[in-house]
Amino acid sequence: MAGVTVLVGLGPFGDQVLARVEQSLPDPRAVAFVRESAAAAVASAVEQRLETLLEAGRHEAETSSRRLDLFLFAVATQGDDDGLRRAVDDLGRLVGERYAAMFDLRRPPEQRNAALHLVVWVPPLGANESARKALSRLHTLEAWAESG
């Protein structure tokens, strides 16, 4: 268990991405898939999956050699204004607090062994409400990421 990869699909877009990934992988069992419709429930769903994965690999690798990659696929305009930011914050807290012994987030960025990769679909950008909404939410995510 040198590395665990968890793909999280939020809403219909995330579900579509995960379905395509599953179809394209030679062995989809090498990746954990978590599908969730509500941003508020993402961390809880991931926690349940991580418990199983980390317990299964507890004796396979030293703690220092473990790697966790979380990929979250979502639409910028889905849900309420702060839902996506809360989902990534909840995931960060889950890894940073619950699994701090394995994935120490106090390390310098180049030495960290856990990462959250966010893939967000945005509508066509232009002078419209949908684009303004998406950009505002992306700005909120950027501020969250820069804060720590």
Side-chain angles (χ1 to χ4, degrees):
M1 185 193 108
V4 171
T5 301
V6 180
L7 304 182
V8 182
L10 179 57
F13 169 75
D15 211 23
Q16 290 172 1
V17 171
L18 269 53
R20 288 182 184 160
V21 171
E22 278 181 306
Q23 291 172 358
S24 69
L25 288 176
D27 183 7
R29 294 172 298 172
V31 175
F33 296 90
V34 175
R35 290 173 167 84
E36 188 53 61
S37 59
V42 165
S44 176
V46 169
E47 182 175 20
Q48 291 174 10
R49 193 70 174 109
L50 276 179
E51 277 298 310
T52 304
L53 291 167
L54 295 175
E55 184 58 37
R58 194 169 305 277
H59 303 293
E60 292 179 26
E62 292 298 318
T63 300
S64 62
S65 67
R66 290 186 177 166
R67 171 117 186 114
L68 172 64
D69 284 293
L70 290 168
F71 292 83
L72 176 61
F73 300 92
V75 173
T77 54
Q78 178 182 335
D80 67 62
D81 283 345
D82 202 37
L84 191 53
R85 196 243 2 120
R86 278 195 320 270
V88 297
D89 187 58
D90 290 348
L91 285 171
R93 288 182 192 280
L94 170 66
V95 173
E97 293 172 6
R98 168 101 186 194
Y99 302 105
M102 287 183 255
F103 307 111
D104 188 354
L105 299 180
R106 293 172 300 177
R107 291 180 174 177
E110 65 277 1
Q111 294 179 7
R112 290 183 191 158
N113 54 352
L116 172 59
H117 311 274
L118 185 58
V119 180
V120 180
W121 181 89
V122 296
L125 299 178
N128 60 67
E129 185 57 33
S130 185
R132 280 190 285 280
K133 184 178 183 180
L135 290 172
S136 173
R137 290 179 179 189
L138 290 175
H139 178 69
T140 300
L141 284 170
E142 180 182 32
W144 172 83
E146 289 176 348
S147 71

